[in-house]
Amino acid sequence: MQLVTRAQWGARAYRLPSGATLYSRPRRGVKLHYLGTPYTDRPHDRCDDYVRQIQAQHMDGNGWSDIGYSFLVCTHGYVYEGRGLRRRNSANGSTSLNEQDYAVCLLVGSSGLAEPTNAQLHGTRDAIEYCRAEGPAGTWLGGHRDGYATSCPGGPIYAWAQAGAPRPTTATPEEDDVPLTDAEIKKIAVAAREEVWGVQWKSPTDPDGPTRSAATFERWADVRHQREMEQLAAIRAAAGATLTDEQLAALADRVAAHPTLAERIAELVADKLAARLTD
């Protein structure tokens, strides 16, 4: 757990005697909260400023003895110590509710940034496990709205709590899933066309004859097999609209005469893509 202590985030001293009130019994579990106001995400080095702002509102606006929450979790996954494990929170709505459960607040708003980040969910899960192991607290998990008339902690967080607060899983994208812009696709297609169209070929009917450019093979435009037609469709898809009908006719013959041509085209496109990815 990436814990930020009160001293590290610059907390004000709590007021006595109320701020020193301890829990009188083990906690049932953990209640999750959100800010309930618009929130805009910020760089991590500004999160402690916001936590101090919350403390000031609670102490100077609400008249509380300290920040109300047991812990707070920023969007970067850091857990800020509020009242901590021992001192009773004041965020759950009443003395009995405060006594019953820890209060963990996610820095998420009712608008703006209204859903927690994956890092924040991991941090919140860390805080829950910390409360259970060190509190002690039971396994009950819910939201501020449980037992109190409020929409807090908002739909996304409450649904996550009801699902047991699972850690998010992030799939690693496959290499083939690397997105390409339209400009990049066109660039690759043009490069592939130029490479293929400039290749010099031997005539299949005169293997000992002179080497000719692909354009000279237009007279062999008879495509004999469906497989070759499918290969031509792949060529057209790869090249977009960059090949003329005459060039496609010539390529049709080349595919028919040399079944490995489509494979060569695929290699050329792959080489271009690999070169782009390593630039």
Side-chain angles (χ1 to χ4, degrees):
M1 182 172 73
Q2 300 179 100
L3 180 66
V4 182
T5 66
R6 289 175 63 89
Q8 288 171 328
W9 63 263
R12 290 162 52 180
Y14 53 81
R15 297 192 186 104
L16 297 172
S18 297
T21 302
L22 303 179
Y23 290 105
S24 63
R25 63 179 185 272
R27 271 57 72 207
R28 174 185 64 167
V30 175
K31 279 190 175 181
L32 301 183
H33 295 247
Y34 76 157
L35 298 170
T37 56
Y39 182 71
T40 302
D41 199 10
R42 61 210 63 225
H44 179 58
D45 61 7
R46 293 178 53 202
C47 289
D48 56 353
D49 298 332
Y50 198 83
V51 174
R52 287 193 297 271
Q53 180 180 324
I54 294 173
Q55 185 187 38
Q57 175 59 40
H58 286 183
M59 296 182 72
D60 303 332
N62 298 359
W64 297 350
S65 61
D66 194 5
I67 192 169
Y69 305 112
S70 307
F71 298 94
L72 305 92
V73 186
C74 74
T75 57
H76 311 281
Y78 287 78
V79 179
Y80 289 77
E81 179 187 18
R83 298 202 185 192
L85 295 172
R86 303 289 176 253
R87 294 188 298 122
R88 189 175 68 200
N89 74 81
S90 61
N92 288 336
S94 69
T95 299
S96 61
L97 293 175
N98 296 338
E99 180 74 34
Q100 182 173 249
D101 300 298
Y102 285 117
V104 175
C105 178
L106 288 76
L107 298 190
V108 169
S110 53
S111 61
L113 179 69
E115 294 193 17
T117 65
N118 280 354
Q120 195 167 32
L121 294 179
H122 277 297
T124 304
R125 183 69 202 188
D126 289 340
I128 293 168
E129 293 176 358
Y130 182 61
C131 289
R132 289 174 175 175
E134 304 295 334
T139 59
W140 185 89
L141 179 64
H144 186 191
R145 66 178 69 177
D146 292 313
Y148 190 77
T150 177
S151 61
C152 182
I157 295 174
Y158 190 71
W160 181 67
Q162 291 298 292
R167 291 191 182 276
T169 56
T170 303
T172 302
E174 297 291 335
E175 183 176 351
D176 289 345
D177 293 335
V178 176
L180 296 175
T181 66
D182 290 342
E184 289 170 331
I185 292 172
K186 183 176 180 180
K187 182 178 179 182
I188 293 171
V190 170
R193 182 202 65 184
E194 291 174 349
E195 290 238 13
V196 172
W197 204 247
V199 170
Q200 299 293 304
W201 302 96
K202 290 283 189 181
S203 166
T205 59
D206 186 14
D208 297 325
T211 299
R212 299 180 176 89
S213 69
T216 64
F217 290 98
E218 293 183 20
R219 64 182 181 275
W220 299 311
D222 178 27
V223 180
R224 295 184 293 272
H225 303 290
Q226 181 62 32
R227 176 171 176 272
E228 283 73 20
M229 290 297 295
E230 293 173 354
Q231 291 172 331
L232 282 177
I235 294 169
R236 184 186 285 273
T242 61
L243 294 181
T244 66
D245 289 341
E246 290 77 11
Q247 289 171 327
L248 282 173
L251 280 174
D253 179 73
R254 296 311 306 133
V255 171
H258 295 273
T260 61
L261 176 57
E263 297 175 5
R264 173 60 179 151
I265 292 172
E267 291 173 0
L268 291 170
V269 173
D271 289 344
K272 295 295 181 183
L273 178 57
R276 184 190 68 79
L277 294 177
T278 56
D279 283 344

